[in-house]
Amino acid sequence: MKRFDPIESLANARHEFGEHGGVNMSIEASTTFTFLDAEVMPEVFRGLHGPEGGCYLYGRHYNPTISVLGRQIAALEGAEAGYCTASGMSAIAGAVLQCCSSGDHIVSSRAVYGGTFALLHDYLPLKAGIDVTFVEATDLGEVQGAIGPKTRVLFVETLSNPTLRVADIEGLARLAKAHGITFIVDNTFSPLVISPIQLGADVVVHSLTKFMGGASDIIAGSVCGTTEFVGSLMDLHTGSLMLLGPTMDPRAAHAISLRLPHLGIRMKEHGRRAQYFAEHLEALGLPVIYPGLPAHPDHNLLQKSGNSEYGAGGVFCVDLGTRERADDLMEHLQNDSRFGWMAVSLGYFDTLMSCPSASTSSEMPEEEQARAGIRPGLVRISIGYTGSLEQRWEQMETALRTVGALVTQS
Ligand SMILES: *Cc1c(COP(=O)(O)O)cnc(C)c1O
């Protein structure tokens, strides 16, 4: 059987035209929808008709433009269905809460996005009485040992943030299935690079704010899974997206939809440049974390389970040894050469740099950071594709020399 290709799947799913025959879809900005027949309205409230029959009700429930984007992202992931939200965090919170009630338990990877860590470590136990155990997700035995009778969700990131460990989605999916729990994967770091649903995950969430949006101008999220699961998020009585209301703006859905056709080209170029930087930094003797390097502990796993034509992702980390040198490097790269910008986030066309221990992972206590392998001098680089690769590498080498990171070189 031919291997799943996300871009081919998206091409097959894109069949919308604009209202007047435009080559891209119209924006349905309306917050409410008319009914031709008064009898149909109560039937929609009883769930007898829905958007698949063209029955739209109110913009916090389904919206046609957001439905199209949801369908396109589902196609990219090879999922049955998908819907979009106002942020990645609301996609994660919505998906997790849909699976759990007060008293239930979640097993989560320790190496997750700082906001997700705070949601699971602080917010859900405090506000919802949901208990969470953090595990080293690369250790299937530890994951299995943490699953108990109250466990409802197993949560991991495909490429962990910022240590870029690759989750063994197939192995974790088998564990989740054996225990009858929902396996939720955050695929924000690796759209197209890994297709978790194809490997057995139940639900895939994204922060569309990153690579999918690609221009660092829109905060947005998505949830993909079975038609039943995505439908449950919009249930009028128990749907976490319907009732908590993190509704995406249809204009944002339209804008992101127009960027998905070139996501494949962008991911390939992010990946090509990340691979070049990782190899060249490694050759200079610096500790580099990038799953595209043979020395990375999960290199073979990614080769085996990823869609290798889309590369190994656009993010790598380099360890400058100390926080001071990490800060010096980032300041030089931004203020002296305009190589990139000191900012959190990733997936932008320009390069973004941050020091995870002092920023995106600072919600984690120091000992948790150490356990997750987040060293103080680690710089996370989301490599952009502006400028030429030669020009960018020269800027990097100059910066490294200036901050004294190459002193051991003759
Ligand atoms: C940014 C990010 C999120 C949160 O997304 P928002 O769109 O900022 O709410 C979640 N997970 C990962 C891996 C992220 O990088």
Side-chain angles (χ1 to χ4, degrees):
M1 199 178 73
K2 190 179 177 305
R3 211 188 153 104
F4 174 76
D5 184 304
I7 283 295
E8 291 180 7
S9 174
L10 174 65
N12 291 334
R14 287 183 64 245
H15 39 61
E16 270 71 29
F17 289 91
E19 209 180 340
H20 306 286
V23 293
N24 53 61
M25 70 171 163
S26 306
I27 304 175
E28 180 54 81
S30 200
T31 56
T32 191
F33 298 86
T34 54
F35 286 80
L36 291 179
D37 184 340
E39 270 172 36
V40 178
M41 198 187 278
E43 291 175 4
V44 171
F45 272 93
R46 277 187 279 133
L48 298 179
H49 310 288
E52 47 309 323
C55 275
Y56 289 94
L57 175 65
Y58 181 64
R60 177 162 38 76
H61 196 232
Y62 294 99
N63 164 287
T65 314
I66 303 168
S67 294
V68 168
L69 179 64
R71 208 164 345 105
Q72 292 176 344
I73 292 170
L76 274 180
E77 291 292 354
E80 251 177 45
Y83 206 72
C84 300
T85 61
S87 66
M89 281 311 302
S90 57
I92 294 165
V96 164
L97 283 170
Q98 203 60 37
C99 301
C100 296
S101 305
S102 167
D104 285 343
H105 176 246
I106 295 170
V107 175
S108 170
S109 164
R110 179 174 291 123
V112 288
Y113 177 72
T116 306
F117 185 82
L119 175 77
L120 298 175
H121 186 266
D122 305 318
Y123 189 92
L124 290 182
L126 185 70
K127 301 289 188 182
I130 294 167
D131 206 24
V132 184
T133 302
F134 290 95
V135 293
E136 176 51 57
T138 53
D139 181 344
L140 292 188
E142 190 181 334
V143 175
Q144 168 134 37
I147 298 172
K150 288 281 191 185
T151 309
R152 295 290 173 267
V153 166
L154 172 59
F155 186 95
V156 305
E157 294 178 4
T158 351
L159 285 184
S160 72
N161 180 24
T163 48
L164 307 176
R165 293 302 305 265
V166 181
D168 175 5
I169 305 288
E170 284 179 295
L172 292 164
R174 272 196 298 275
L175 267 184
K177 196 148 278 144
H179 290 86
I181 64 181
T182 306
F183 183 25
I184 305 180
V185 178
D186 180 338
N187 201 25
T188 300
F189 270 56
S190 46
L192 310 186
V193 173
I194 302 177
S195 301
I197 300 263
Q198 299 303 306
L199 299 170
D202 298 304
V203 176
V204 166
V205 290
H206 276 283
S207 168
L208 305 180
T209 315
K210 317 296 168 56
F211 289 105
M212 294 270 212
S216 289
D217 60 335
I218 299 171
I219 303 266
S222 67
V223 185
C224 295
T226 62
T227 304
E228 188 191 353
F229 182 75
V230 174
S232 74
L233 297 167
M234 276 312 168
D235 188 281
L236 295 179
H237 301 276
T238 57
S240 51
L241 295 187
M242 180 61 189
L243 298 174
L244 299 177
T247 309
M248 176 183 259
D249 186 326
R251 296 160 190 86
H254 183 261
I256 293 172
S257 166
L258 295 186
R259 299 165 193 193
L260 296 184
H262 47 69
L263 180 65
I265 298 169
R266 292 189 279 118
M267 290 311 293
K268 282 182 188 178
E269 186 60 9
H270 281 298
R272 184 178 79 92
R273 293 197 180 203
Q275 185 74 33
Y276 182 96
F277 271 85
E279 285 173 5
H280 285 74
L281 288 166
E282 190 182 48
L284 291 176
L286 289 160
V288 182
I289 305 175
Y290 186 61
L293 293 176
H296 188 280
D298 303 321
H299 179 72
N300 290 337
L301 177 61
L302 182 61
Q303 294 283 105
K304 184 169 71 79
S305 59
N307 305 315
S308 53
E309 64 273 33
Y310 297 103
V315 178
F316 64 88
C317 294
V318 55
D319 189 356
L320 275 295
T322 63
R323 188 49 209 293
E324 290 68 34
R325 189 168 280 161
D327 288 350
D328 287 349
L329 181 78
M330 291 191 293
E331 284 177 6
H332 189 282
L333 285 172
Q334 173 176 281
N335 302 332
D336 295 356
S337 65
R338 304 278 183 260
F339 170 91
W341 319 120
M342 267 188 284
V344 295
S345 198
L346 54 131
Y348 187 34
F349 47 70
D350 276 335
T351 294
L352 299 179
M353 308 170 289
S354 59
C355 185
S357 68
S359 58
T360 47
S361 295
S362 61
E363 285 97 334
M364 289 171 121
E366 249 168 58
E367 64 275 17
E368 286 281 355
Q369 286 193 27
R371 283 167 79 188
I374 303 165
R375 296 188 295 270
L378 211 59
V379 176
R380 185 184 81 182
I381 297 180
S382 169
I383 200 79
Y385 47 78
T386 57
S388 77
L389 181 50
E390 295 67 30
Q391 166 197 28
R392 295 306 188 194
W393 174 250
E394 206 180 292
Q395 292 170 338
M396 173 62 86
E397 261 195 315
T398 304
L400 288 169
R401 209 172 300 116
T402 308
V403 305
L406 300 181
V407 282
T408 55
Q409 294 284 305
S410 57

